[in-house]
Amino acid sequence: MAVEGSTGRVTRRRVHTRANLLDAAFSVFAAKGFGHVSIEEVCEAAGYSRGAFYSNFSSLDELFFALYQERAELIAEQVSGALALDGPDLDVPAAVDRVTDVLLLDRDWLLVKTDFLVHAARDPEVARSLLEHRARLRQAIADRLGRARGHTALPAVLGDTDGAARAVVAAYDGVTTQLLLDRDLEHARAWLKQLLTALLTDGSGTLDHTKN
């Protein structure tokens, strides 16, 4: 019994250490950018030794991807939840409002995400992993749109729910790139809402029930 209790404490401590390292890495990566940060800097920010780092991650790449995975999965859950609130009768304008609020996260996260994208573009293995996570986000959106398709017609130009999900993610990518440069969160939120409304409805903010 004593061994089990000790193991439980070690496990909880390791989970806590890992979470602290991820939080510290997020702050350091956002401030300096990936490629300009050392393991020592992450450890110093978290208050841990290199040993604690290596007991949780084999490299900065692994830590960075764990951070991205954590945030990406949270976004996917939030988007799916926002789209699910209407039940089968999807209210697109209301859903767009909710999704816009979820997708536009803080600028630090956008900086970290962009750094990771550039890093992945230069590393095929990391790129494959990133594509898998982006596909999960698209699938969460496509699944919700698919469940509502019998009640809510999508513009034919998008092809199908997967095409609509790709359009949503593409709109988000474009708007957040501009947000990184001009830092105008209010304008970015309004512009994303307009884009998503135009993509998912007839553009007027109301549903076109004549399309099949």
Side-chain angles (χ1 to χ4, degrees):
M1 295 296 292
V3 172
E4 291 180 1
S6 176
T7 301
R9 288 194 295 274
V10 170
T11 300
R12 287 193 295 271
R13 183 165 64 246
R14 183 169 182 177
V15 169
H16 182 68
T17 299
R18 181 183 175 88
N20 286 343
L21 285 166
L22 287 171
D23 287 344
F26 177 79
S27 298
V28 176
F29 284 142
K32 301 188 67 174
F34 186 79
H36 302 282
V37 173
S38 66
I39 290 174
E40 288 77 10
E41 286 175 301
V42 172
C43 292
E44 181 179 354
Y48 293 120
S49 66
R50 286 174 63 93
F53 179 92
Y54 284 115
S55 70
N56 288 275
F57 305 101
S58 62
S59 65
L60 281 177
D61 279 6
E62 183 180 335
L63 183 150
F64 198 107
F65 194 79
L67 178 63
Y68 184 91
Q69 179 177 340
E70 179 184 83
R71 301 297 173 115
E73 290 180 351
L74 174 61
I75 291 172
E77 291 174 2
Q78 290 175 326
V79 170
S80 181
L83 291 174
L85 290 179
D86 295 313
D89 296 308
L90 183 63
D91 181 344
V92 172
V96 165
D97 284 341
R98 293 193 299 269
V99 170
T100 299
D101 288 341
V102 168
L103 283 176
L104 280 174
L105 302 178
D106 62 276
R107 188 170 179 274
D108 282 348
W109 167 240
L110 297 177
L111 286 169
V112 172
K113 184 174 75 77
T114 301
D115 274 336
F116 189 78
L117 176 62
V118 173
H119 173 59
R122 294 190 172 97
D123 187 324
E125 184 176 350
V126 177
R128 283 193 294 272
S129 295
L130 178 57
L131 286 170
E132 290 174 3
H133 286 285
R134 286 173 64 85
R136 290 179 192 174
L137 176 59
R138 287 199 311 271
Q139 191 61 50
I141 298 170
D143 287 348
R144 179 62 188 104
L145 293 175
R147 290 196 299 273
R149 195 169 188 180
H151 305 267
T152 305
L154 295 172
V157 69
L158 296 178
D160 55 17
T161 54
D162 182 65
R166 288 178 181 275
V168 168
V169 174
Y172 168 64
D173 287 342
V175 169
T176 53
T177 296
Q178 182 67 27
L179 174 61
L180 280 175
L181 299 176
D182 64 22
R183 305 181 182 223
D184 189 344
L185 180 59
E186 183 177 354
H187 180 263
R189 181 178 290 112
W191 181 230
L192 183 59
K193 178 180 178 181
Q194 292 172 18
L195 282 175
L196 294 182
T197 300
L199 283 169
L200 300 178
T201 70
D202 63 357
S204 68
T206 59
L207 301 181
D208 183 354
H209 293 285
T210 65
K211 296 179 181 178
N212 296 310

